[in-house]
Amino acid sequence: MYCSDVEPEHASASGRKRQQRPQTSHREVADELRARIRSGVLRPGQRMPTQAKLADEFGVERGAVRQALRILQAEHLLTNVSKGAPATVAPDLGLSRIPAGPAAAPQPTMVALAPRIAEAFAAEHVEIDALCLTSVSLTLAIGEPLRQIHAGRLNPAKVDVRVLLPSRDIDLAFPAPVADGSAAARLRRHWLTHRNAQVQVLRHNLLALRSTHRIDVDVTFRALPFTPPVKLYLLNGTEALFAYYTLERREQLIDQEQLQMYDAEGTRSMLFAFEQGAGLRDTTFVEQSHLWFDALWETISSPLVLTN
């Protein structure tokens, strides 16, 4: 079995540690539950926790929980959403292909990335390049094709993954404290711990395919000397998925203290899809994105160091 970035002891009812977040909205509840479904913590056909339990966990009214569940039902991730029995995770996880090209509507990263990654893994030789802040979205999204490989529905011969992440040696542009400059070091340590954990999980999950399925896997990480303001995923040389990191002010419990910070929720970033062959605009964007990524990889990036 492959690892998950969610620890087993957190996966019984909710999938993650309860975390106090002030003024949680129904969209934030939907984002968290969507991440649990995409990561496999909540599996196809599994019954969700009751609305009362979810309301207690997130510190919201049941009406907010119902709104969140309806959003996920509209995305075909849940079925049987009502005031009565708990909802059920959809058996197909809504993983039909999301169209690319000029007519394609942008989707939140946690909605769009998993089906794109799963489709990329249907190729004989899978090639994924990613530039991001922590790789949490990529780790979650790759969970779906890994499940399909273990279920015998996908069987690539070779998988090459390259990931560019910010270096541990830079002063991050974000996350950044709102006012208390002395908190910057704590925020940086928190981010670095999170980045390192995602790298280790992603590497382990992919390299495990060597022994479990005899797949030729190569996973490489390199460090950037700057904080990326955007995220980029390049799939099999034919697709580019692009999103902005949009900063917002929020509060988070770090080292037993609520800190006000400016940060971006990468899983909610709107992902724009471009496909080679879908027109001159898309083809040029895909080609230029590959040139840009390769230039960063081969020039100013350096080997990624995981120690704090």
Side-chain angles (χ1 to χ4, degrees):
M1 289 293 291
Y2 61 92
C3 292
S4 167
D5 62 334
V6 181
E7 295 179 358
E9 60 265 31
H10 300 160
S12 56
S14 67
R16 295 190 181 178
K17 256 185 178 177
R18 288 184 57 178
Q19 189 175 36
Q20 297 299 321
R21 295 178 62 181
Q23 300 179 338
T24 300
S25 71
H26 69 280
R27 293 192 180 278
E28 289 175 310
V29 174
D31 290 340
E32 172 64 14
L33 295 178
R34 184 187 299 110
R36 295 174 189 175
I37 293 171
R38 292 298 192 196
S39 66
V41 172
L42 294 169
R43 297 187 176 278
Q46 180 179 340
R47 295 183 74 180
M48 297 283 290
T50 65
Q51 293 181 15
K53 288 183 179 179
L54 291 172
D56 179 62
E57 176 189 353
F58 290 103
V60 297
E61 299 294 328
R62 290 195 193 184
V65 171
R66 282 194 293 273
Q67 284 181 283
L69 297 179
R70 290 188 187 113
I71 288 174
L72 300 182
Q73 181 175 243
E75 295 174 2
H76 308 292
L77 296 176
L78 292 180
T79 61
N80 302 324
V81 174
S82 69
K83 292 184 179 180
T88 303
V89 180
D92 61 358
L93 286 179
L95 288 171
S96 59
R97 175 176 171 82
I98 298 174
Q107 298 275 351
T109 298
M110 196 46 62
V111 175
L113 188 57
R116 289 291 191 182
I117 295 286
E119 185 164 324
F121 267 76
E124 184 79 4
H125 182 189
V126 182
E127 295 180 280
I128 297 176
D129 293 335
L131 180 149
C132 43
L133 188 66
T134 62
S135 79
V136 62
S137 296
L138 181 62
T139 302
L140 290 170
I142 278 183
E144 176 55 31
L146 292 182
R147 282 189 292 276
Q148 294 195 32
I149 288 172
H150 289 294
R153 292 191 292 270
L154 291 173
N155 187 32
K158 184 174 177 56
V159 177
D160 288 317
V161 176
R162 300 188 299 174
V163 184
L164 285 170
L165 295 165
S167 168
R168 63 168 187 166
D169 299 323
I170 65 172
D171 292 328
L172 288 171
F174 61 90
V178 171
D180 184 6
S182 64
R186 278 183 290 162
L187 279 178
R188 181 187 170 282
R189 285 196 302 271
H190 179 78
W191 165 82
L192 185 57
T193 299
H194 189 50
R195 186 209 70 172
N196 290 349
Q198 294 299 319
V199 166
Q200 290 169 333
V201 169
L202 183 59
R203 175 185 286 156
H204 179 275
N205 289 350
L206 287 168
L207 293 182
L209 296 175
R210 291 176 176 175
S211 58
T212 60
H213 291 78
R214 300 183 182 278
I215 297 173
D216 182 6
V217 178
D218 184 64
V219 188
T220 311
F221 299 86
R222 289 185 68 83
L224 291 169
F226 61 88
T227 309
V230 299
K231 56 165 58 179
L232 177 69
Y233 306 97
L234 304 173
L235 311 181
N236 291 348
T238 61
E239 288 189 83
L241 309 176
F242 174 90
Y244 295 101
Y245 282 117
T246 302
L247 298 183
E248 60 184 10
R249 180 170 177 161
R250 64 186 181 91
E251 187 175 278
Q252 185 173 346
L253 183 66
I254 296 177
D255 296 336
Q256 308 303 314
E257 180 183 352
Q258 292 286 348
L259 294 179
Q260 292 283 339
M261 69 182 75
Y262 295 117
D263 200 6
E265 284 285 350
T267 57
R268 296 209 302 266
S269 299
M270 298 300 287
L271 206 61
F272 295 81
F274 300 84
E275 188 171 23
Q276 196 164 41
L280 180 60
R281 163 188 170 273
D282 277 48
T283 296
T284 303
F285 188 89
V286 173
E287 291 174 350
Q288 291 299 310
S289 295
H290 276 283
L291 289 173
W292 184 64
F293 185 94
D294 288 341
L296 291 174
W297 187 271
E298 295 165 3
T299 58
I300 61 174
S301 69
S302 59
L304 190 81
V305 179
L306 289 180
T307 57
N308 293 340

